[in-house]
């Protein structure tokens, strides 16, 4: 290559010399006529020629220096162009790459010669082709720089996010237009944005949960008061009915339903992270059968419920209310999928042995005995993309106002709290199968037996305070029916005045927590200032201000949650009074 350049250069110099000689001959006819020239003239001429020769030599040196500087500048430009942190490329009017720097070739994973002449659109993801097409059209039409983001494909067809800044270049010869683009790999920025979005969503979810918790507390307080009235008056009706009466059987169903409602309120508080529920050994089969009864009564007539519950299902260490809520939510989800078309829900419960091989396929599963719950439906099914997200909080496929996306998230949380796992299987048109594995409990489980309990009675004098007249009436009746002498008030200020008038005339104070003027804990503090050893039973449906520990710290001897079951209430009152008498 160097030899060819040298030959070409020599040829150009020869041509230049001949041209110069011709010009010189035409310039002066007597250029070589030295006739009549003196020695002085000849010397002067030779001197002038030598000066011109030196000047030419100096000019040649300057030209050589300028050329070398141009070469160095070109080399620096090429280096800066190739090794810039930003990728550069030029695309002609047809969309073919005419120029590209080394940084851009490294981004795409190709050699430079493999990219020159190729259509740039070949390296753009199909879904983002329109972005480049629209921007290119805008550039050609308005000749205003365009900035946009799209996904480019590497040699291995792996996509990455890129930011492109494009401008138009016009050729001065044929007025053709090219697009010069500066390209930056923004994959890290996109990843950071995604992580930020995830953190923002988690914050929003946390705030929503906090709001739900606050709402749950308010609901619990009001609802527990209502349930207390229903449960209490229902018990009074039961006491008046003979055991052979069908009405007694109906009122017993009301009592059971109310107790279930009380447990649902506790579950609501649990979901709002307002309270904890202890786990204990429970008969899994009994809990599921009872839950099915409740589900069956609230399921539309066009949906059948089939159950296949083994007789020897192992117990689990858990919370019956949460297991009940788990099954209700799964069946509610199934019902929603068949509400218009009808269908069937099948609930299966049996024992399962998990060996080492199966356990290794689940990160959170250990070999051993499990209880296996399966809930399936014949609904429209779920596609794979949706199936991967169904346990996410607030994810729902329902229309606005038709679903919250909380139900299956609650199910997942309950299963995790019971050290189990849950997964779903489905395909469009094939229904959904949920499978839950819960560790079996190996210890002894006490079987609950229905016994007729004789409620403990007494004759002590009790001050009963509740701002709800119906609850005050009910409380007085319950206590008076057990032989106690009861003085009641719906006004805590009035109750405090009654106590101050004769502090030693009362053996027990029973007060509600949430009351106007003076709350239950404030009333207790004032009473204990007057009589430090006064037994006080504090009742509450829910309060952020008070807990069992805070109540004991004040000096309150006992703390009970509403709604009040007649048996529990009677036993608690007798226990407080007996402990006082033993002092």
């Amino acid at each position: 290559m160097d030899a060819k350049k040298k030959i070409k250069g020599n040829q150009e110099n020869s041509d230049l010399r001949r041209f110069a000689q011709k010009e010189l001959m035409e310039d002066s006819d007597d250029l070589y006529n030295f006739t009549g020239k003196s020695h002085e003239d000849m010397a002067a001429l030779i001197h002038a020629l030598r000066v011109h020769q030196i000047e030419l030599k100096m000019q040649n040196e300057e030209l050589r220096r300028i050329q070398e500087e141009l070469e160095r500048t070109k080399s620096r430009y090429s280096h800066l162009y190739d090794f810039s942190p930003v990728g550069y490329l030029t695309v002609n009017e047809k969309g073919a790459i005419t120029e590209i720097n080394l940084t851009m070739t490294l981004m795409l994973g190709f050699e430079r010669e493999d990219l020159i002449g190729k259509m740039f659109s070949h390296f753009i993801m199909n879904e983002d082709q329109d972005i480049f097409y629209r921007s290119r059209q805008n550039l050609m039409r308005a000749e205003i720089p365009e900035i946009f983001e799209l996904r480019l494909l590497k040699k291995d067809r792996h996509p990455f996010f890129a930011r492109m800044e494009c401008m138009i270049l016009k050729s001065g010869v044929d007025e053709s237009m090219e697009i010069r683009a500066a390209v930056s790999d923004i994959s890290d920025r996109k990843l950071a944005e995604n992580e930020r979005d995830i953190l923002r969503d988690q914050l929003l979810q946390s705030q929503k949960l906090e709001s739900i918790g606050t709402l749950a507390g308010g609901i619990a307080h009001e609802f527990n008061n209502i349930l207390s009235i229903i449960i209490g008056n229902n018990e009074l009706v039961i006491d008046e009915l003979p055991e052979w009466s069908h009405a007694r059987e109906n009122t017993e169903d009301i009592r059971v339903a109310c107790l279930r409602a009380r447990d649902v309120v506790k579950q609501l508080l649990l979901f709002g992270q307002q309270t904890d529920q202890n786990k204990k050994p429970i008969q899994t089969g009994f809990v599921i059968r009872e839950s099915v009864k409740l589900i069956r009564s609230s399921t539309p007539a066009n949906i059948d419920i089939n159950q296949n519950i083994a007789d020897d299902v192992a117990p689990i260490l858990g919370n019956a209310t949460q297991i009940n809520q788990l099954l209700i939510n799964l069946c509610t989800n199934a019902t929603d999928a068949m509400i218009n078309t009808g269908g069937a829900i099948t609930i299966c419960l049996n024992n399962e042995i998990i060996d080492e091989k199966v356990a290794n396929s689940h990160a959170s599963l250990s070999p051993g005995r499990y209880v296996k719950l399966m809930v399936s439906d014949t609904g429209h099914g779920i596609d794979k993309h949706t199936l991967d997200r169904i346990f996410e909080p607030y994810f729902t496929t329902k229309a606005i106002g038709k679903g919250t996306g909380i139900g299956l998230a609650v199910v997942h949380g309950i299963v995790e709290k019971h050290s189990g796992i849950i997964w779903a299987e489905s395909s469009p048109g094939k229904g959904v199968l949920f499978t839950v594995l819960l560790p079996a409990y190996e210890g002894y489980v006490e079987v609950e037996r229905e016994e007729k309990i004789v409620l403990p009675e007494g004759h002590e004098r009790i001050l009963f305070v509740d701002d709800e007249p119906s609850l005050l009436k009910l409380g007085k009746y319950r206590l008076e029916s057990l032989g106690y002498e009861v003085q009641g008030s719906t006004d805590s200020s009035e109750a405090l005045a009654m106590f101050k008038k004769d502090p030693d005339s009362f053996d027990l104070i029973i007060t509600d927590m949430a009351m106007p003027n003076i709350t239950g804990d404030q009333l207790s503090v004032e009473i204990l200032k007057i009589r430090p050893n006064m037994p006080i039973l504090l009742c509450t449906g829910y309060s952020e201000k008070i807990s069992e520990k805070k109540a004991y710290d004040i000096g309150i001897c006992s703390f009970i949650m509403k709604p009040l079951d007649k048996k529990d209430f009677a036993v608690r009152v007798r226990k407080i009074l007996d402990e006082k008498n033993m002092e």
Side-chain angles (χ1 to χ4, degrees):
M1 183 66 74
D2 291 340
K4 289 181 179 179
K5 287 183 177 179
K6 188 172 183 181
I7 293 170
K8 185 179 179 182
N10 291 336
Q11 182 66 40
E12 290 175 352
N13 290 337
S14 298
D15 293 342
L16 184 61
R17 183 182 293 272
R18 286 194 295 270
F19 178 76
Q21 289 174 346
K22 181 182 177 182
E23 288 291 320
L24 183 61
M25 292 297 291
E26 291 176 355
D27 225 14
S28 176
D29 294 336
D30 61 341
L31 180 63
Y32 297 104
N33 184 8
F34 297 104
T35 304
K37 297 289 185 181
S38 65
H39 288 290
E40 290 80 4
D41 292 336
M42 292 296 293
L45 182 60
I46 291 170
H47 176 75
L49 287 172
R50 286 178 178 175
V51 170
H52 284 302
Q53 185 180 18
I54 293 170
E55 288 179 346
L56 287 171
K57 184 178 179 181
M58 292 175 66
Q59 289 174 356
N60 284 336
E61 289 294 331
E62 179 66 16
L63 286 172
R64 212 170 12 250
R65 187 189 65 77
I66 292 172
Q67 185 176 5
E68 289 174 356
E69 183 62 33
L70 285 173
E71 290 294 334
R72 285 195 296 271
T73 302
K74 181 181 178 182
S75 177
R76 284 197 298 269
Y77 166 76
S78 297
H79 187 275
L80 289 172
Y81 177 73
D82 268 335
F83 294 98
S84 167
V86 177
Y88 289 106
L89 60 88
T90 304
V91 178
N92 63 20
E93 292 185 41
K94 294 181 179 179
I97 299 171
T98 59
E99 190 179 89
I100 189 166
N101 74 340
L102 184 60
T103 303
M104 191 68 215
T105 65
L106 293 173
M107 278 188 199
L108 297 173
F110 287 89
E111 297 295 331
R112 199 192 310 260
E113 54 267 24
D114 295 330
L115 294 169
I116 299 297
K118 297 289 176 58
M119 301 299 291
F120 180 61
S121 59
H122 176 71
F123 306 100
I124 303 174
M125 279 193 70
N126 289 336
E127 294 86 348
D128 295 352
Q129 292 282 350
D130 286 347
I131 298 175
F132 179 69
Y133 176 79
R134 286 194 300 268
S135 298
R136 183 178 159 200
Q137 292 296 105
N138 292 339
L139 273 167
M140 295 293 187
R141 183 180 64 254
E143 300 182 18
I144 299 173
E146 286 272 318
I147 300 175
F148 52 91
E149 296 176 1
L150 45 64
R151 287 167 294 175
L152 299 179
L153 296 169
K154 295 178 180 287
K155 186 176 182 179
D156 59 5
R157 308 308 286 174
H158 183 76
F160 67 95
F161 284 95
R163 181 178 188 267
M164 298 190 66
E165 300 180 43
C166 300
M167 62 181 295
I168 284 291
L169 295 177
K170 279 189 176 182
S171 171
V173 180
D174 56 2
E175 288 295 316
S176 62
M177 291 192 294
E178 292 183 320
I179 297 175
R180 170 66 60 83
V183 184
S184 303
D185 186 340
I186 58 171
S187 299
D188 290 341
R189 193 197 81 192
K190 283 292 185 180
L191 179 62
E193 288 176 355
N194 289 338
E195 291 176 349
R196 182 195 63 197
D197 291 342
I198 291 171
L199 290 174
R200 182 189 61 200
D201 290 343
Q202 289 175 347
L203 176 62
L204 289 174
Q205 290 171 10
S206 176
Q207 291 171 340
K208 287 178 181 178
L209 285 174
E210 184 178 350
S211 299
I212 290 173
T214 303
L215 177 63
I219 293 173
H221 174 72
E222 296 299 328
F223 197 58
N224 280 331
N225 274 344
I226 296 170
L227 282 176
S228 295
I229 296 170
I230 297 172
I231 291 173
N233 283 284
N234 186 67
E235 287 171 349
L236 297 180
V237 174
I238 291 176
D239 291 343
E240 297 295 326
L241 294 172
E243 294 196 10
W244 49 263
S245 171
H246 289 298
R248 185 184 180 94
E249 183 178 342
N250 294 336
T251 53
E252 181 63 27
D253 289 341
I254 294 173
R255 187 183 75 86
V256 171
C258 288
L259 294 178
R260 286 187 184 279
R262 177 190 64 185
D263 290 340
V264 169
V265 174
K266 289 180 180 178
Q267 181 66 32
L268 182 62
L269 290 174
L270 176 69
F271 180 71
Q273 297 180 343
Q274 300 291 343
T275 187
D276 293 323
Q277 291 192 356
N278 296 324
K279 291 187 285 188
K280 64 179 182 179
I282 56 174
Q283 292 288 355
T284 319
F286 174 78
V287 172
I288 295 299
R289 287 189 183 92
E290 290 297 304
S291 298
V292 171
K293 291 179 184 177
L294 183 63
I295 293 166
R296 196 187 299 276
S297 64
S298 59
T299 302
N302 64 338
I303 297 175
D304 296 327
I305 295 182
N306 306 313
Q307 59 176 327
N308 183 10
I309 301 174
D311 294 331
D312 61 343
V313 177
I316 63 169
L317 186 65
N319 182 278
T321 301
Q322 293 181 20
I323 299 302
N324 173 62
Q325 192 67 36
L326 180 153
L327 187 59
I328 289 174
N329 285 2
L330 288 179
C331 290
T332 299
N333 192 73
T335 300
D336 290 342
M338 303 181 292
I339 193 70
N340 296 321
T341 60
I345 299 173
T346 302
I347 301 167
C348 299
L349 185 71
N350 51 47
N351 299 316
E352 185 84 2
I353 302 295
I354 300 299
D355 57 23
E356 196 79 35
K357 182 179 179 181
V358 176
N360 289 337
S361 63
H362 297 276
S364 57
L365 202 60
S366 302
R369 294 181 65 218
Y370 286 80
V371 172
K372 184 177 182 180
L373 171 65
M374 294 184 293
V375 179
S376 62
D377 64 65
T378 58
H380 49 67
I382 305 174
D383 61 77
K384 186 180 184 307
H385 174 71
T386 304
L387 196 65
D388 291 338
R389 300 187 59 193
I390 56 174
F391 295 117
E392 294 179 13
Y394 305 107
F395 175 75
T396 178
T397 57
K398 298 175 185 176
I400 296 174
K402 298 295 184 181
T404 62
I406 292 176
L408 290 179
V410 169
V411 168
H412 191 269
I414 291 172
V415 172
E416 282 193 335
K417 287 179 181 178
H418 285 75
S419 303
I421 64 169
I422 180 172
W423 69 91
E425 301 168 66
S426 181
S427 58
K430 300 294 184 181
V432 184
L433 168 63
F434 287 94
T435 303
V436 179
L437 287 177
L438 302 173
Y441 179 70
E442 304 296 342
Y444 171 74
V445 181
E446 183 178 350
V447 179
E448 295 185 7
R449 293 181 175 86
E450 191 71 27
E451 297 179 358
K452 188 168 184 178
I453 298 175
V454 178
L455 300 180
E457 299 179 347
H459 58 277
E460 288 87 349
R461 193 169 185 222
I462 298 172
L463 174 59
F464 193 95
V465 188
D466 198 306
D467 64 320
E468 181 67 49
S470 297
L471 290 178
L472 177 65
K473 176 184 175 183
L474 179 63
K476 284 188 66 179
Y477 182 87
R478 277 178 171 175
L479 292 168
E480 287 172 347
S481 66
L482 295 172
Y484 298 105
E485 183 181 345
V486 184
Q487 192 165 349
S489 175
T490 57
D491 187 330
S492 50
S493 298
E494 180 186 59
L496 181 59
M498 292 165 58
F499 180 79
K500 285 181 177 179
K501 187 175 180 181
D502 190 0
D504 295 325
S505 63
F506 297 103
D507 299 296
L508 174 65
I509 307 292
I510 301 175
T511 177
D512 184 31
M513 174 61 193
M515 293 186 295
N517 300 324
I518 304 176
T519 59
D521 58 333
Q522 293 172 339
L523 176 62
S524 300
V525 169
E526 295 300 318
I527 288 173
L528 291 171
K529 285 179 182 178
I530 301 168
R531 186 176 163 186
N533 63 342
M534 183 71 218
I536 300 175
L537 172 59
L538 182 66
C539 310
T540 181
Y542 164 77
S543 175
E544 287 185 344
K545 290 180 59 179
I546 198 70
S547 65
E548 192 165 9
K549 183 180 181 305
K550 288 180 181 178
Y552 290 152
D553 290 342
I554 291 172
I556 298 169
C557 67
S558 193
F559 179 89
I560 192 169
M561 293 292 295
K562 292 180 179 181
L564 308 178
D565 178 81
K566 180 173 67 173
K567 180 191 75 172
D568 294 338
F569 182 56
V571 171
R572 182 71 65 95
V573 168
R574 189 66 259 163
K575 180 182 178 183
I576 296 170
L577 291 171
D578 288 343
E579 288 176 351
K580 178 206 169 190
N581 293 332
M582 290 175 63
E583 293 178 356

